[in-house]
Amino acid sequence: MRPRVGYRHARRSVPTVLRGIYLPRSTDAAAFAMTTYGIPLLVLATTDSAALTGLAFALEWVPRLGAFAFVGALVDRHGTTAVLRYASVGRALVVLAAAFILPTQEAGYGATVTVMLLAASTGILTECSYIAAETAGGIAAREAGDRAHRVQSVLLGIDQVATLSGPALAGFLLQWAGAAGMLIVIAAFSLLTSVLAPNQDHLVKPAVPQLVLKGLHIGWSTLRSLPALGWLVTGLTVSNLTVGLLQAAAPVIIVKQLGHSTADVGLIWSLAAVASLIAVALCRRAIDRFGLWPIGAVSATIAASACLAVSFADTYGSYLTLIAVLMAGEGGMTVVLRTLRSRLIPADVFGATLSLTILLLLLPFPLAGVLVATVPPAQLGHVTTLCAALQALGLFAAFARLRTTPALRTSLA
C-alpha cells in the first residue's frame, strides 16, 4: 500500500504544480505586462498630453519601488495565497471601476484624475501580486528538490512569453476595443490569478519581522565590499535612465510624432523582447567560451551605440530596429550582471544585497517619467541624446574599471 500511495501522490504533483503555480503565474504575468505598457498608452489616448503620459509612467514606478520596503514582509507574515488573492482582486476592481467610469467622462479634469489614479494604484497592486507570485514560485522550486531548475526555467519562460505578448495585446486592444476593452481583459487576468492562487499558507512558517532599514544597510555594506559588482550596478543604473526614458517617451514619439497607432507602440516592445531573448541565449553560450568581460563590453557597446542613434530615428522602422538592438545589448548585460551577482555575493546576505541592487537599478525609471512629463515633446530627442551620452560614459567607465577583475575575465567553460 505504501508504494501505491506514494506513486499516486507523485502522479498528482505534476498537475498540482501546473494548476497551482504555472497557471496563476501566467495570468499574473499577463496582467503585469499589459498594465506596465498599456496604462501609459491609455493616459496618452485619454489626455493627449505628453506631460501626463510621463507623469503616469512615474506614478506607476514610484509605488513599485516603495513596495519593496514592505511587500516582502507582508508575504512573510500573511502568506503568498492571501497577498496574491487580495492584490489581484484589488487590481481587478480598480481597472473595472476605471473601465466603467471613463466612458461617462469627457476628456478633461475628471478623465485625467481617473487615469492618473489608475496608474498609481495599479502600480502598487501589480508589484504586490508579482512579489507574492515570485515567492510562490520559489516555494514550489524548493519543494521540487533536484528538479528545482526545471520549475524555475518554466517560470522564466512564462515571464518571457508575457513580456512578448503583453505590450502587443494591450496596444491592440486599446486600438480596436477601446480603453474599456483593454481594462476588462486586465481585470479578467487578475480575477483568474485570484481564483487560481496556490494554497501554500500551510508551507510558510511565520517569519520574524525584519527591519527594512537593517536589510538595506546589510545590502549596502555588502555592495561596498564588492567593488566589481558596485561598478557594474552603477553603470547599469545610469544605462537604465536612458532605457526608462525611451520606454516612457515611446507613446509620445510613436503616436504624436511619427503618426502611428497605439498597437504599433506595443509591437515595438514585443519585438524588442524577442531581440533580448535571442541575445540572452547567444550570450550564455558566448560567456562559456570568452568569459564575462568581453561579452559584457560588447553588449554595452551595442546598447550605447543604439541609444545614441535612436534620437535621430525619423521613421517607425528605424526606431523599431534601434530599440530592438538596444534591448539586445541590455539582455547581454543582464546575463553578465546575474552571473556576477551569483559569483560574488555571499549566500548569507544574498537576499538583502539582491533587493538593494534591484532597487538601485529601478530608481531611474520614475525619474525618466518625470523627464518626459517636464520636457516639451519637441525637445525629447535632445534629452535622449544627452542621456545616451551619459549612458555611454557610465558604461565605458564601469567596464574599463572591470577589465582586470578576475571574476569577469575567466570563462565558465
Side-chain angles (χ1 to χ4, degrees), residues 41 44 245-255 265 268-269 319:
L41 287 175
L44 180 64
L245 177 64
L246 292 173
Q247 185 175 330
V252 179
I253 294 173
I254 301 303
V255 177
V265 180
I268 280 184
W269 295 110
Y319 193 89

Side-chain angles (χ1 to χ4, degrees), residues 10-350:
R11 290 183 62 184
R12 287 197 301 267
S13 64
V14 174
T16 298
V17 175
L18 173 64
R19 160 62 177 81
I21 302 297
Y22 297 155
L23 287 181
R25 179 62 167 259
S26 299
T27 54
D28 183 67
F32 183 102
M34 290 185 66
T35 300
T36 300
Y37 293 94
I39 298 302
L41 287 175
L42 174 61
V43 173
L44 180 64
T46 303
T47 65
D48 196 34
S49 169
L52 291 176
T53 302
L55 182 59
F57 187 84
L59 286 176
E60 273 194 309
W61 280 101
V62 169
R64 292 183 180 187
L65 295 178
F68 278 100
F70 71 89
V71 178
L74 199 65
V75 171
D76 289 339
R77 176 170 297 183
H78 299 287
T80 58
T81 306
V83 175
L84 185 56
R85 282 179 177 166
Y86 284 117
S88 300
V89 170
R91 180 173 56 200
L93 292 176
V94 167
V95 296
L96 283 176
F100 285 103
I101 292 173
L102 282 175
T104 66
Q105 296 176 324
E106 297 181 358
Y109 179 77
T112 299
V113 171
T114 299
V115 292
M116 300 308 283
L117 289 176
L118 177 66
S121 57
T122 53
I124 191 168
L125 290 169
T126 295
E127 192 63 31
C128 290
S129 68
Y130 170 77
I131 293 177
E134 184 74 9
T135 304
I139 294 173
R142 286 196 298 271
E143 281 198 305
D146 294 337
R147 295 189 299 176
H149 64 286
R150 298 184 182 180
V151 175
Q152 289 291 355
S153 65
V154 174
L155 294 176
L156 179 59
I158 290 171
D159 290 342
Q160 291 171 340
V161 170
T163 303
L164 292 176
S165 58
L169 180 59
F172 176 83
L173 288 172
L174 186 59
Q175 177 71 20
W176 298 106
M182 185 191 75
L183 293 174
I184 288 173
V185 172
I186 294 176
F189 281 127
S190 299
L191 290 175
L192 281 173
T193 302
S194 176
V195 171
L196 297 171
N199 187 11
Q200 294 182 324
D201 290 347
H202 64 287
L203 301 175
V204 182
K205 298 180 180 179
V208 178
Q210 297 292 327
L211 295 177
V212 174
L213 292 179
K214 181 179 180 181
L216 292 176
H217 176 72
I218 292 173
W220 180 251
S221 299
T222 305
L223 190 61
R224 290 184 60 187
S225 68
L226 301 171
L229 183 61
W231 275 99
L232 184 57
V233 169
T234 300
L236 291 179
T237 300
V238 175
S239 178
N240 278 351
L241 176 61
T242 307
V243 175
L245 177 64
L246 292 173
Q247 185 175 330
V252 179
I253 294 173
I254 301 303
V255 177
K256 296 183 71 69
Q257 296 183 7
L258 298 182
H260 281 255
S261 67
T262 55
D264 292 328
V265 180
L267 180 61
I268 280 184
W269 295 110
S270 293
L271 293 180
V274 173
S276 179
L277 292 178
I278 294 174
V280 167
L282 294 175
C283 286
R284 284 174 179 172
R285 295 190 176 186
I287 288 172
D288 289 337
R289 182 173 182 180
F290 300 106
L292 286 169
W293 188 88
I295 303 306
V298 170
S299 298
T301 302
I302 292 173
S305 300
C307 281
L308 288 170
V310 76
S311 58
F312 301 101
D314 55 0
T315 65
Y316 178 78
S318 60
Y319 193 89
L320 183 151
T321 302
L322 289 171
I323 291 294
V325 172
L326 162 65
M327 297 311 294
E330 286 288 319
M333 289 191 290
T334 300
V335 175
V336 173
L337 172 64
R338 291 189 175 188
T339 306
L340 190 64
R341 281 192 311 212
S342 63
R343 285 186 175 188
L344 296 182
I345 301 177
D348 57 336
V349 293
F350 189 87

Side-chain angles (χ1 to χ4, degrees), residues 378-399:
Q379 302 298 320
L380 282 176
H382 301 298
V383 176
T384 302
T385 302
L386 176 61
C387 290
L390 292 175
Q391 176 198 39
L393 290 174
L395 292 176
F396 175 81
F399 280 95

